[in-house]
DNA sequence: CACTAACGTAAGTTACGCCTTACGGAAACC
DNA sequence: GGTTTCCGTAAGGCGTAACTTACGTTAGTG
């Protein structure tokens, strides 16, 4: 269940994909629309969207000949939770270490 | 100021680096210590730690011949804030779209 | 002062990810 | 039915990131 999200981190490792996702966060739009605002070709955008889709970060909604992509809020929420958990654990261990140091200098 | 964090996302794009960071979140430890638990060589770990350090995700603390690495809570917090902002914006736009649709079907 | 342990870095190889062009298919429009 | 638009995928080139081995350095240890 969490194996899915690990790919989300890998997906966000690419600058172009982060830019695409940022774009989709503003409003859903088509492939061509995205490609026009990026310095890469349309097929390249298609491939990035495929990766983002497999990572559970975007959703597709066919509309005529066009395919409207949008952010998958659920996938994004899962990512946020994972980062939160990680952050919490790091903070815990940090506090614990500080306490141990003050107890035994 | 935010240029820094963008590299953090790239840094977390690598599975080995995520594993290293997870390890450091449990407790700070040395390079050799990390390498022993990973399927890669010690110099490889060194290189990963360098990337994580430049991304502002880890800190180094020399201790004798060893170098103790630990999670940089500040860098991690910045990352969390960025994700939070992004998530908030996506959620806003989603709500807005739903409202627009219900108003004009 | 050797000797060892722990580490960073350089050099080199290799594998993989990103991008391109080219092609084929599905839906609207005439 | 022909044409156009929009899109996904295949094939291939290419840069680079991730790893390895080899070496040099620094700090403890006897």
């Amino acid at each position: 269940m969490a194996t899915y999200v690990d790919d989300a981190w890998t997906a966000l490792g690419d600058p172009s994909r982060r830019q695409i996702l940022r774009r989709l966060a503003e409003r859903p739009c088509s492939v061509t629309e995205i490609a026009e605002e990026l310095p890469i070709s349309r097929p390249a955008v298609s491939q990035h969207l495929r990766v983002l889709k497999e990572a559970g970060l975007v959703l597709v909604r066919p509309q005529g000949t066009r395919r409207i992509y949008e952010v998958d809020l659920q996938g994004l929420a899962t990512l946020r939770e994972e980062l939160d958990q990680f952050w919490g654990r790091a903070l815990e261990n940090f506090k614990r270490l500080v306490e141990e140091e003050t107890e035994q200098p």
Side-chain angles (χ1 to χ4, degrees), chain A:
Chain A
M1 186 186 196
T3 342
Y4 214 66
V5 176
D6 234 51
D7 291 335
W9 289 101
T10 304
L12 290 180
D14 182 76
S16 295
R17 279 195 287 267
R18 287 198 295 273
Q19 208 165 344
I20 290 176
L21 206 62
R22 269 193 285 265
R23 180 72 177 76
L24 293 181
E26 298 302 329
R27 67 183 180 87
C29 49
S30 69
V31 179
T32 308
E33 215 166 347
I34 299 175
E36 285 173 351
E37 301 179 0
L38 293 186
I40 59 180
S41 69
R42 182 194 51 77
V45 173
S46 256
Q47 290 168 8
H48 282 309
L49 285 170
R50 190 169 114 90
V51 174
L52 288 172
K53 183 160 160 287
E54 286 179 351
L57 291 174
V58 300
L59 296 172
V60 205
R61 175 167 33 103
Q63 182 174 335
T65 72
R66 308 199 309 168
R67 309 193 53 161
I68 307 300
Y69 283 86
E70 60 185 337
V71 171
D72 187 343
L73 284 174
Q74 190 169 345
L76 207 60
T78 310
L79 196 72
R80 201 170 78 111
E81 285 173 10
E82 185 169 312
L83 184 58
D84 271 0
Q85 281 184 10
F86 182 78
W87 191 80
R89 202 160 24 176
L91 189 61
E92 267 182 37
N93 283 284
F94 177 74
K95 285 181 181 173
R96 184 173 53 77
L97 287 177
V98 170
E99 287 174 2
E100 286 178 9
E101 281 184 359
T102 48
E103 284 177 0
Q104 302 173 357

